[in-house]
Amino acid sequence: QVQLAESGGRLVQSGDSLRLSCAASARTLTNFVMGWFRQAPGKEREFVAAITWSEGRSAYADSVKGRFTASRDNFGNMGYLQMNSLEPEDTAVYYCALKLRGQSEYHAWGQGTQVTVSS
């Protein structure tokens, strides 16, 4: 079972930038997709971004498109979420997750990292 660990979350001000990291325990992630999700207090978890490990193709939720960028170290096991122009509405616990390409469900999840954006 692959284990994931996020880091990088903290308190920032509106307009600031922040980069989250996700370390995966798997030896190779070639056939995987890494997703980023977030859950704000009182709200359901929502999709933020995803990236295919082999090609580096990414997709984003409309709410973060143009501000967030997912990337990965394709020679290692680190994924990243660069978040720019942060807004108070981005405040949430952020999770990284993995799924096999072609599957709809993410089967491995990290413990989450808190991002708080003050106005």
Side-chain angles (χ1 to χ4, degrees), residues 11-106:
L11 172 65
V12 296
Q13 293 189 331
S14 182
D16 283 354
S17 296
L18 195 62
R19 189 177 80 158
L20 304 182
S21 300
C22 177
S25 64
R27 288 199 306 175
T28 177
L29 296 173
T30 302
N31 297 320
F32 286 82
V33 175
M34 178 172 281
W36 289 91
F37 295 78
R38 66 187 182 186
Q39 186 166 21
K43 295 187 177 181
E44 299 208 348
R45 186 168 59 194
E46 64 174 357
F47 169 79
V48 174
I51 184 166
T52 62
W53 206 264
S54 53
E55 297 96 351
R57 289 185 299 174
S58 55
Y60 301 92
D62 288 344
S63 59
V64 306
K65 203 171 292 183
R67 299 188 299 124
F68 289 14
T69 302
S71 64
R72 86 280 185 243
D73 172 9
N74 59 329
F75 294 108
N77 294 336
M78 294 294 297
Y80 305 97
L81 184 67
Q82 177 67 40
M83 306 185 293
N84 298 329
S85 302
L86 283 162
E87 304 164 352
E89 293 73 23
D90 296 316
T91 294
V93 177
Y94 283 73
Y95 300 90
C96 62
L98 284 178
K99 68 173 181 176
L100 285 168
R101 293 184 64 173
Q103 293 192 350
S104 59
E105 296 295 323
Y106 287 84

